[in-house]
Amino acid sequence: MFISKGLTLPCYAVIFSSLSTSDDDAFGTMGASIDELVKNEEGFLSMESVYNASGESITVCYWRTLADIKRWKEVALHQEAQRLGKQKWFDEYAVRITEIKESYELNKEDGI
């Protein structure tokens, strides 16, 4: 499912926008490992990502609390990914954190 549904509000979103300089195997492997790991983290709700061929991407991770986000930032593999990203995978990135107080959804398959 691409669009996260039924988020319990309020919650928080971490928006990671980036311009990748690398498409090497290590980058893809780390991304897959991070995607699997985050799903089991306390307070993680959902994630949405889009990428294009130019290396631009946006990933939005939804979390229950700010404390959950801070705890995730300290996970060893996540810190290693951050280090490698700064060192060799990204030309640019931005991380933005916001509180979500209201949400609207449309899903024609579910009749919503």
Side-chain angles (χ1 to χ4, degrees):
M1 167 183 11
F2 171 66
I3 296 177
S4 302
K5 297 181 198 174
L7 295 173
T8 302
L9 301 179
C11 66
Y12 293 85
V14 176
I15 306 160
F16 180 70
S17 304
S18 64
L19 177 58
S20 174
T21 58
S22 174
D23 62 355
D24 69 14
D25 290 341
F27 177 69
T29 300
M30 178 63 83
S33 295
I34 290 294
D35 287 355
E36 266 316 297
L37 182 63
V38 74
K39 292 175 185 175
N40 296 311
E41 286 297 310
E42 181 181 341
F44 174 79
L45 300 174
S46 188
M47 179 170 41
E48 301 165 349
S49 297
V50 292
Y51 308 89
N52 70 21
S54 299
E56 299 164 329
S57 69
I58 297 175
T59 298
V60 181
C61 287
Y62 300 98
W63 295 87
R64 194 172 311 126
T65 69
L66 286 173
D68 295 329
I69 295 168
K70 289 179 182 181
R71 190 173 38 258
W72 167 244
K73 187 170 173 42
E74 300 304 318
V75 169
L77 184 64
H78 188 216
Q79 287 194 338
E80 178 67 2
Q82 292 171 59
R83 184 186 68 75
L84 290 169
K86 290 174 186 175
Q87 199 174 69
K88 63 183 197 175
W89 290 332
F90 299 114
D91 272 345
E92 298 177 47
Y93 73 83
V95 176
R96 296 176 176 102
I97 301 171
T98 187
E99 183 178 15
I100 300 171
K101 296 180 179 183
E102 195 168 338
S103 177
Y104 304 87
E105 300 170 6
L106 169 70
N107 185 330
K108 291 182 179 181
E109 289 179 13
D110 292 343
I112 299 173

